[in-house]
Amino acid sequence: MNGAQTLIRSLAHAGVEVCFGNPGTSEMHFVAALDEVPGMRAALCLFEGVATGAADGYGRMAGRPAATLLHLGPGLGNGLANLHNARRAHTPLVNVVGDHATYHKRLDAPLESDIDAVAGSVSGWLRRATDPGTLARDAVEAVRAATRAPGQVATLVLPADVSWSEAPAGPPPALPPVEVTTAPDAAVERAAAALTGGEPAALLIGGAATRGEGLRAAGRIAAASGARLLCETFPARLERGAGVPVVERLAYLAEMATGQLDGLRHLVLAGAASPVSFFAYPGLPGDLVPDGCEVHVLTRGDEDVTSALGHLSERVAGTRELKAATPTSARPAAPEGDAPLTSEAVAYAVGALLPADAVVVDEANTSGLWLPGATEGAPPHDWLTLTGGAIGQGLPVATGAAVACPGRRVLCLEADGSAMYTLQALWTQVREGLDVTTVVFSNRSYAILEMELRRVGAAAAGPRARDLLDLSRPDLDFVSLARGMGVPAERARTAGEFTAALRRALAEPGPGLIEAVVPPIG
């Protein structure tokens, strides 16, 4: 048995069942070992950013890590943006990066680079394998690190000679249990006092608190205390829909978020960081906590936020029968007719037709303003967002989510500019037979940057500035691009055309794409 076989066997034994990869020469023994060691599914991605984003989507939905397989420093660099998003999402992810043989590195071959420095920017755990005899232990410890609360990217650098050299053939080591750290009782007491003291208060949740038992406990706390229930602007995975506790997302725009928080005297953080604006703007504060508001930390990074919210719920609500505020199952009417298509009409169609138990991946950006309201009463579903703000996440995350959740329809709502970063994900969706429906909002512009140009106080945009934000001349043809990778696709220009196209796409197995031609916002 060689090192690569040992690595795959140990990862599979520790629960890693899928590898999203774009390998090169230094990873060929890993590739060969996939046929020799059972238990690992491999999905080829035509760009490293697709592989890392797919592993992110898989981890968010499966709750356990997928592996990536990347080629040297340049391959890692190509996948870095979506590793950044995975880091911000606290996604468990085992990132395997091949490297030159240990004795070859001193020669400074053309592809030689400082992998450790690049990986360190996104990895909570980083190790360079040095001995095939300890590679099984390295693999298990990488999985354990990735799954340690609240979840992180664990990078294992694999030199080619460690991969091809002989390794011990004994059984892989067992995965040690991951320690669960609980929040101190004092933190629960302080949070309870803040929420029930009679002053304006809010509970801001993130991480695991936006789903499952944590979300239900948070809803019960809000119902018992009268505090506002907020969540992070970009939650990694938010459960929502009819019957699910209503959570108000913190606004992206600093001015709007300031309005949401205005007047608070207490802000309790549960799995979320203290709110700050995404960028600095002239004359506006970066810290969004209002003056006179005290911040209380219920849980810190490695503490179990679900159990902490459960204890806080018991402390605040006691044994009272309380029901969190939940939306009804009312849904908007599906738009029909020949009216020109708008982003608002797309949102209403999605709200009307979204199937039960769907997974929605949202990278609609400015075109998605109406989506939360239109889908609030849809059947229960999961909503995945752009956690780290690095665009090009939507299509890959949808790919990984579909691998993690066979039998569930994945709906990817994608801005046109962002789609072009990782369009190759469509090819992987076809090859893997994934049930992903993609809606591309085709407004032919980086509309969010047009908005930011105004908000930062830059001078009035002239023709050269506008050219850097414009996606026309030529117009992108997403129907042809999708069909070129084997994805059935059609274009909608009216509300009725879009509703009919979405109804067809959601009913068909496998991937499909709709290019929704809409005007830019604002």
Side-chain angles (χ1 to χ4, degrees):
M1 180 171 286
N2 63 27
Q5 295 165 340
T6 292
L7 175 59
I8 292 176
R9 186 180 65 157
S10 300
L11 289 174
H13 184 72
V16 180
E17 300 174 348
V18 180
C19 176
F20 298 97
N22 188 281
T25 304
S26 54
E27 295 78 49
M28 285 298 101
H29 284 81
F30 186 109
V31 171
L34 289 166
D35 283 314
E36 297 159 348
V37 179
M40 179 77 73
R41 173 182 178 180
L44 175 61
C45 302
L46 301 184
F47 175 61
E48 292 89 342
V50 175
T52 54
D56 181 11
Y58 180 95
R60 293 195 205 186
M61 294 308 301
R64 61 183 183 276
T68 60
L69 182 63
L70 308 179
H71 180 45
L72 300 170
L76 172 61
N78 283 343
L80 202 68
N82 278 328
L83 287 173
H84 162 79
N85 289 326
R87 178 177 73 89
R88 287 296 187 180
H90 297 292
T91 300
L93 192 159
V94 175
N95 182 41
V96 179
V97 184
D99 195 9
H100 290 300
T102 54
Y103 58 83
H104 194 70
K105 290 183 70 63
R106 65 180 180 83
L107 302 178
D108 195 27
L111 278 168
E112 172 61 24
S113 63
D114 191 344
I115 293 174
D116 302 71
V118 178
S121 67
V122 292
S123 306
W125 181 95
L126 172 62
R127 178 174 297 175
R128 174 175 288 274
T130 58
D131 183 351
T134 59
L135 195 51
R137 186 195 68 197
D138 293 337
V140 168
E141 291 185 4
V143 176
R144 186 170 184 270
T147 53
R148 183 179 299 125
Q152 61 185 344
V153 176
T155 295
L156 179 63
V157 182
L158 181 65
D161 54 335
V162 176
S163 187
W164 71 52
S165 296
E166 184 177 351
L175 180 67
V178 176
E179 304 92 347
V180 177
T181 305
T182 58
D185 291 341
V188 175
E189 288 299 319
R190 285 192 296 269
L195 294 171
T196 60
E199 295 185 316
L203 174 62
L204 178 62
I205 62 174
T210 60
R211 60 186 185 272
E213 290 298 324
L215 179 57
R216 287 188 284 274
R220 192 164 181 261
I221 292 164
S225 66
R228 294 178 64 185
L229 180 57
L230 304 169
C231 77
E232 298 169 305
T233 305
F234 291 138
R237 177 181 171 186
L238 174 64
E239 288 184 10
R240 60 193 304 274
V244 179
V246 175
V247 183
E248 181 184 352
R249 282 172 61 179
L250 196 65
Y252 168 78
L253 298 179
E255 302 91 322
M256 295 177 64
T258 299
Q260 287 175 290
L261 301 174
D262 186 45
L264 290 181
R265 297 302 303 275
H266 299 278
L267 180 63
V268 175
L269 305 178
S274 189
V276 298
S277 63
F278 276 73
F279 301 100
Y281 298 98
L284 293 176
D287 187 345
L288 299 179
V289 178
D291 292 339
C293 178
E294 186 176 357
V295 177
H296 311 267
V297 179
L298 176 64
T299 57
R300 302 195 182 276
D302 62 344
E303 294 171 343
D304 185 348
V305 66
T306 301
S307 67
L309 285 169
H311 294 152
L312 182 58
S313 174
E314 294 171 2
R315 174 67 177 77
V316 171
T319 59
R320 286 181 288 167
E321 290 292 331
L322 292 169
K323 187 175 181 181
T326 59
T328 67
S329 57
R331 306 178 75 168
E336 303 290 350
D338 296 328
L341 186 60
T342 64
S343 297
E344 187 174 9
V346 171
Y348 290 149
V350 170
L353 301 177
L354 189 67
D357 208 27
V359 180
V360 180
V361 178
D362 179 9
E363 197 179 19
N365 298 337
T366 57
S367 294
L369 295 176
W370 293 274
L371 286 166
T375 56
E376 186 177 68
H381 56 274
D382 286 292
W383 202 275
L384 313 186
T385 74
L386 182 60
T387 51
I391 64 173
Q393 174 193 270
L395 291 167
V397 165
T399 302
V403 172
C405 301
R408 297 181 65 176
R409 172 60 62 171
V410 178
L411 178 61
C412 180
L413 304 171
E414 184 66 72
D416 52 359
S418 301
M420 292 303 296
Y421 278 56
T422 47
L423 196 67
Q424 307 93 325
L426 295 174
W427 183 88
T428 301
Q429 292 173 14
V430 175
R431 190 177 227 218
E432 298 296 319
L434 303 178
D435 292 330
V436 181
T437 298
T438 298
V439 175
V440 175
F441 292 86
S442 183
N443 60 20
R444 302 172 203 81
S445 71
Y446 285 124
I448 193 165
L449 297 184
E450 293 178 1
M451 177 185 71
E452 293 289 3
L453 186 69
R454 297 189 297 269
R455 294 183 69 235
V456 299
R464 292 181 183 177
R466 288 196 299 271
D467 263 359
L468 286 179
L469 309 179
D470 176 72
L471 298 181
S472 64
R473 306 191 335 269
D475 290 347
L476 294 163
D477 183 349
F478 284 96
V479 172
S480 296
L481 289 166
R483 289 175 178 172
M485 286 182 276
V487 176
E490 55 184 305
R491 181 176 294 108
R493 297 182 182 276
T494 70
E497 287 175 352
F498 180 80
T499 295
L502 183 60
R503 189 175 276 118
R504 284 191 293 269
L506 292 174
E508 289 293 325
L513 182 142
I514 305 166
E515 181 179 358
V517 180
V518 296
I521 304 300

